[in-house]
Amino acid sequence: MRAFVHVDLSAIAHNIGQIKSSTNAEILAVVKADAYGHGLVPVAIRALESGATWLGTALLEEALALRSAGINAPIIAWLTPPHENFAAAIKWNIDLSVSSIQLFEEILGKAKELGIKPRLHFEVDTGMRRGGILDQWDDFIAFALEYRDEYTLVGFWSHFARADEPDSDFNANQQLEFENKLMALTAVGFVPEIIHLSNSAALLSIPPAHYHMVRLGIAMYGLSPDVKTMGQGSVFNLRPAMSIKAKLHLVKNAKAGDAVGYGGTEILTRDTKLGIVVFGYSDGLPRSTSNKVGVYYDGCRAPLVGRISMDQCVVDLGLNSRARAGDYVTVMGGDGYTIDEWADAANTINYEIVTRIASRVPRIYS
Ligand SMILES: *Cc1c(COP(=O)(O)O)cnc(C)c1O
């Protein structure tokens, strides 16, 4: 195998255990985007074995893939534009989120044809101005009341915009708006079974926002929601689940003055041994990273040299390296540069690094 992502499922179990010890809420494991690049089905199964009771996806096809794999736990798919395969969702007992009358109507229409009541979660926009009901609120309640026999109201939910800034007033304001909308709903007789508001950041820092269920994403994978405002995942005793290794295709001596890679953007300042690693931007390395990061070999850092190519990159192993072609180097995680270091070097967030590791890189589980 020229490269692989190693996913440590015991880290997922450990992280869920950590979270469970800090809340009474039920845990919905967020497994969208191929479980943040870690692999949808293996992560979902281990999460359920480790105490999560719900699964959450963005897309409907992700939820359907879980059902196809034989997973029977409650699942919600919360990002479904009009004209998705709602018949399949309803048949496969997948909870849907509604945040517009248009979508609500369409789902009820499909459900009627099937003679099955859909399980719905009402999403309200409490300040983020992304998902959720906003301007339609009064009409939405009227619609929900009119058709209340045609669906099961399971959940009531919203999403924080700044939970990774625990001191921001924005969070308290959003929660207040959430409570107000919930009161308006209960005032007309609705009793949502499951109220959910918190993502990982709120889970770790805003206990009053846990309600019945928390939607656990990045922290389940052992990473911090925001390294700058909340610190590393280790602050919360989380263990990163992902690490990546790739083989050296070649090891060669090069001279001071040699220009390396496309554009010859880097000129060697000393004689050294270069390692050509079979892992490039098409595998998910951000091309915008500089030589702030690189790989690890035998406990030593080998910084990137020059531009990352599509399928490979070049690292400086140092003149005395004993590395040989065919040896594995650690590209990120494990004993190498952390996912957070890669994210920082690329001026992005750890979420983007892990979700962009390409599907052509095999995932290996232990
Ligand atoms: C992705 C997502 C989450 C999980 O967020 P994390 O920051 O990874 O914990 C929770 N809720 C919704 C609606 C999401 O889209």
Side-chain angles (χ1 to χ4, degrees):
M1 225 177 318
R2 62 97 197 183
F4 61 90
V5 172
H6 175 237
V7 179
D8 178 0
L9 292 173
S10 65
I12 303 266
H14 164 86
N15 297 331
I16 292 176
Q18 283 298 307
I19 297 298
K20 271 186 80 71
S21 67
S22 69
T23 185
N24 293 319
E26 292 206 43
I27 294 177
L28 174 147
V30 180
V31 291
K32 63 190 180 190
D34 199 29
Y36 290 41
H38 294 65
L40 177 69
V41 171
V43 169
I45 289 172
R46 181 56 72 95
L48 293 169
E49 286 169 357
S50 310
T53 48
W54 279 72
L55 298 172
T57 66
L59 310 184
L60 179 53
E61 50 267 45
E62 297 169 326
L64 289 168
L66 291 166
R67 285 282 183 262
S68 299
I71 293 171
N72 295 318
I75 303 175
I76 168 171
W78 54 67
L79 190 62
T80 55
H83 317 319
E84 293 289 284
N85 191 351
F86 295 120
I90 295 163
K91 274 190 236 163
W92 288 95
N93 204 25
I94 289 163
D95 291 23
L96 295 167
S97 173
V98 286
S99 45
S100 75
I101 294 170
Q102 182 194 353
L103 192 71
F104 204 164
E105 243 173 346
E106 187 185 338
I107 293 169
L108 291 186
K110 272 284 171 296
K112 216 166 195 170
E113 285 170 26
L114 292 167
I116 308 171
K117 276 193 193 183
R119 291 167 49 88
L120 303 182
H121 298 239
F122 293 167
E123 182 190 3
V124 287
D125 184 342
T126 53
M128 186 161 174
R129 299 297 177 265
R130 194 184 66 176
I133 310 146
L134 185 66
D135 53 316
Q136 289 187 330
W137 177 242
D138 293 331
D139 293 340
F140 187 92
I141 293 194
F143 185 92
L145 273 173
E146 191 177 341
Y147 294 96
R148 66 187 308 169
D149 297 334
E150 296 188 19
Y151 60 94
T152 304
L153 175 61
V154 180
F156 177 79
W157 72 285
S158 187
H159 194 57
F160 280 120
R162 301 192 194 177
D164 55 355
E165 302 167 41
D167 300 331
S168 168
D169 288 345
F170 213 81
N171 298 313
N173 291 341
Q174 276 199 265
Q175 198 176 344
L176 193 64
E177 182 63 17
F178 188 65
E179 297 272 352
N180 286 339
K181 291 260 163 68
L182 181 58
M183 270 190 323
L185 208 60
T186 51
V188 293
F190 286 105
V191 187
E193 281 166 49
I194 300 179
I195 295 164
H196 49 110
L197 177 60
S198 292
N199 55 5
S200 295
L203 174 50
L204 295 169
S205 59
I206 318 177
H210 290 184
Y211 297 98
H212 299 131
M213 182 165 85
V214 289
R215 302 187 303 268
L216 171 64
I218 198 78
M220 178 170 73
Y221 303 98
L223 300 171
S224 169
D226 189 325
V227 178
K228 295 192 175 75
T229 58
M230 302 177 70
Q232 304 277 331
S234 54
V235 171
F236 303 99
N237 198 12
L238 300 170
R239 286 195 346 228
M242 181 186 284
S243 58
I244 299 177
K245 288 187 191 265
K247 270 185 184 168
L248 290 167
H249 168 56
L250 294 169
V251 174
K252 58 173 70 170
N253 289 300
K255 295 274 182 221
D258 289 355
V260 179
Y262 283 122
T265 53
E266 194 145 328
I267 314 280
L268 297 180
T269 55
R270 57 183 179 121
D271 293 0
T272 192
K273 212 175 253 183
L274 297 177
I276 318 306
V277 182
V278 199
F279 208 80
Y281 62 75
S282 73
D283 295 301
L285 289 184
R287 188 171 171 278
S288 59
T289 47
S290 63
N291 54 6
K292 278 196 271 183
V293 283
V295 305
Y296 264 60
Y297 178 82
D298 202 13
C300 294
R301 301 179 156 220
L304 285 169
V305 195
R307 288 183 179 149
I308 293 173
S309 301
M310 188 181 293
D311 311 291
Q312 48 195 319
C313 61
V314 180
V315 297
D316 184 349
L317 291 163
L319 210 46
N320 299 319
S321 175
R322 290 184 306 185
R324 295 176 47 192
D327 290 349
Y328 279 112
V329 298
T330 305
V331 177
M332 62 178 77
D335 61 354
Y337 288 85
T338 63
I339 291 161
D340 288 316
E341 284 176 303
W342 275 92
D344 184 55
N347 202 11
T348 184
I349 53 177
N350 51 28
Y351 294 74
E352 189 175 353
I353 299 292
V354 290
T355 55
R356 287 199 171 189
I357 302 303
S359 60
R360 79 174 189 179
V361 186
R363 269 65 173 173
I364 306 294
Y365 298 91
S366 72

